[in-house]
Amino acid sequence: MVGVDFGTLSGRAVVVRVADGAELGSAVHEYAHGVIERALPGSEVRLGPDWALQPPQDWIDVLRLAVPQAVAAAGIAPEEVIGIGTDFTACTVLPATADGTPLCFETPSRPHAWPKLWKHHAAQPHADRINELAARRGETWLPRYGGKISSEWEFAKALQVLEEDPEVYARAERWIEAADWIVWQLAGVESRNICTAGYKGIFQDGTYPSADFLAELNPGFADFTSKLATGRVGERVAAGTGANHDAGPDAGPDAGHGAGHGADGGGEGAEGPGRVRLAALGASAGTLSARAAEWTGLPEGIAVAVGNVDAHVTAAAADAVRPGQMVAIMGTSTCHIMPSDRLAEVPGMCGVVQDGIVPGLWGYEAGQSAVGDIFAWFVDSFVPAAYTERAAEQGLSVHAYLTSLAEKQAVGEHGLVALDWFGGNRSVLVDHNLSGVIIGQTLATRPEDVYRTLIESTAYGARMIVETFEKSGVPVEEFVVAGGLLKNPFLMQVYADVLRRPLSVIGSDQGPALGSAIHAAVAAGAYTDIEAAAATMGKRTEAAYVPDAARADAYDRLYGEYRNLHDHFGDGKALHKLRAIRNEASA
């Protein structure tokens, strides 16, 4: 199996053995453009505050370069690969024509024609309006998202396009998650997955928000859900049905799908009664097209798994697909994913979706908008040259050097507490116009003091999320960590101490890519369902880090101060005003 993970700055491919999940070879392709935040490539067109875009060609280059390199590194013949699965950051979303052509290919000088990366937060005012109207109208879907939908998601970003560039909005026949768009490029068939539709597209109980609701936001927004449709009526398909290997690259939307399990997708504005095809996770979206086979060097006709989100596929890679297993995928941001057998309204969560992680269970999502990004920001912007020189003398990165100093401190020795809102707050306040706060600094404060308190602040944010779930009646039985920040043992121990619970860790450095390969194994029919595939191909170490009682007691006191700051600044009065002043000054 080949799993491909499309991250924030790069894409990676891994070749995985179906029998036991062994990772045989991998390759990484760094995006040529990274994150576009200031100006369009090769252009003087400037972007506003809190913008984040990406070009689709960077994603295609991952298929062209990383996949063949991973197969070569694995030392296998391409003909041995029986399926490919992909995952993406979310909500990374783009406007396209009906045949899937990104609008930025046609009008590259229009910022709103480009894909908006998950961390594009410039749609916060539009999210605020959606939330205010939904609360006023008593929309039944709003509690499923903890009472607020995010500026990162499909509807807020689309409303921004409509109101800031109505020509681009009108031209967009499709508004599609990159997770689904890349599968379209692989299979030549448009499909939509239940995960992104539920978490990022406000699809609940078989329908999207009504045209009546959307029209009240803006009359031109009334038919927005038609852009989310595949343009084909069909039932949601079940996982584990296997690929239809008789379907060629030009097969229609029904190719490669098994029998549905009876849940029709809803949504106004599509063909027929307005239903959309929503594929279950682990299902096949079709088979690899001739064009994609040429890109990847893989055999035409192998199974292509339906799209998924990087965090959600990682649950399978960690064999954490049972109720109560919370997986924290910690990298530039953190996403908290947990299956559960119960439905509850958890304040500030990113969503609860039936079948959203594995079919048959409710899937919960929460998150922190910035984690690794916070540490990188501090190192890149505020560490003195002398520290950089000392790190180099010791053969260490600046991060490792700061960690070596910070870990020598006793808990609370630096006298600081920080709010981890440097990228806004995803959970539990769902407000990306909030900003970071550090208190307690003096003329004696050193860089390692701030670095440590920033690490601790992200752990406090994680504890806030866990406590909110448990107070809402959704128990967290096991806390499992995946992602790049696993490489920092000190950070992991801080989390164990702050959370006052053991941390299990994934047994792979390529969690999302491994998870995508696991889903591809189900789509190809090698396993009956995701749980069976995860049990064999996934891996984790239980209780890899355990809390120290004395440190945990000390952190309880600091966490109390974090909670006080959280409640004081969480209303946004001061932080929103500062952001507005900044935006006015930089206009």
Side-chain angles (χ1 to χ4, degrees), residues 241-275:
T241 58
N244 176 358
H245 289 281
D246 293 328
D250 298 320
D254 291 324
H257 293 285
H261 58 232
D264 287 346
E268 299 180 5
E271 293 178 11
R275 291 172 291 183

Side-chain angles (χ1 to χ4, degrees), residues 104-454:
C104 63
F105 287 178
E106 299 183 346
T107 54
S109 63
R110 308 283 281 266
H112 281 297
W114 289 68
K116 288 179 168 56
L117 189 62
W118 65 269
K119 63 194 294 184
H120 176 94
H121 292 151
Q124 185 63 51
H126 304 83
D128 292 341
R129 285 171 48 209
I130 292 171
N131 290 327
E132 186 277 329
L133 179 61
R136 177 158 49 84
R137 288 171 51 113
E139 295 290 332
T140 57
W141 46 263
L142 190 61
R144 297 279 179 92
Y145 300 97
K148 290 183 179 180
I149 68 105
S150 170
S151 66
E152 295 180 358
W153 300 349
E154 291 181 12
F155 279 66
K157 287 175 173 174
L159 186 58
Q160 183 190 15
V161 176
L162 169 64
E163 297 185 339
E164 295 182 6
D165 194 339
E167 290 184 15
V168 166
Y169 180 85
R171 176 69 178 131
E173 296 167 294
R174 293 291 186 269
W175 185 246
I176 185 167
E177 289 275 352
D180 292 320
W181 183 84
I182 202 69
V183 170
W184 196 351
Q185 308 314 299
L186 288 168
V189 176
E190 184 181 7
S191 63
R192 303 290 175 122
N193 72 84
I194 192 68
C195 179
T196 54
Y199 292 107
K200 314 303 177 184
I202 320 182
F203 186 86
Q204 292 285 350
D205 298 325
T207 189
Y208 290 108
S210 68
D212 175 65
F213 171 80
L214 299 177
E216 192 167 344
L217 287 168
N218 185 311
F221 206 45
D223 66 345
F224 169 64
T225 58
S226 67
K227 299 178 188 292
L228 305 178
T230 63
R232 177 85 176 192
V233 175
E235 64 277 354
R236 192 169 58 187
V237 297
T241 58
N244 176 358
H245 289 281
D246 293 328
D250 298 320
D254 291 324
H257 293 285
H261 58 232
D264 287 346
E268 299 180 5
E271 293 178 11
R275 291 172 291 183
V276 300
R277 172 179 296 281
L278 291 179
L281 305 181
S284 170
T287 58
L288 196 68
S289 70
R291 181 180 66 162
E294 183 178 351
W295 286 341
T296 60
L298 299 178
E300 181 182 351
I302 64 172
V304 177
V306 301
N308 208 329
V309 179
D310 49 7
H312 299 69
V313 295
T314 303
D319 186 24
V321 291
R322 290 167 290 281
Q325 292 182 297
M326 177 175 281
V327 182
I329 302 88
M330 297 175 58
T332 55
S333 64
T334 293
C335 196
H336 303 78
I337 298 297
M338 188 173 71
S340 180
D341 55 6
R342 64 194 70 182
L343 174 63
E345 296 175 3
V346 182
M349 64 180 168
C350 299
V352 55
V353 176
Q354 190 172 14
D355 308 327
I357 301 173
V358 289
L361 293 173
W362 292 96
Y364 288 87
E365 178 186 345
Q368 294 165 270
S369 294
V371 179
D373 270 352
I374 299 175
F375 315 143
W377 158 80
F378 178 71
V379 166
D380 293 344
S381 303
F382 297 105
V383 174
Y387 275 65
T388 303
E389 293 167 2
R390 289 177 209 153
E393 289 170 1
Q394 298 181 33
L396 298 174
S397 69
V398 179
H399 288 278
Y401 178 63
L402 288 172
T403 296
S404 71
L405 298 175
E407 65 186 352
K408 296 174 184 177
Q409 298 180 2
V411 176
E413 182 180 330
H414 50 51
L416 306 175
V417 175
L419 292 173
D420 54 317
W421 301 345
F422 294 83
N425 182 285
R426 184 181 295 161
S427 297
V428 296
L429 298 175
V430 199
D431 185 347
H432 293 290
N433 276 340
L434 295 174
S435 45
V437 175
I438 304 175
I439 67 166
Q441 295 181 96
T442 71
L443 294 176
T445 299
R446 301 162 298 175
E448 58 266 34
D449 300 334
V450 177
Y451 193 76
R452 176 167 179 143
T453 202
L454 292 175

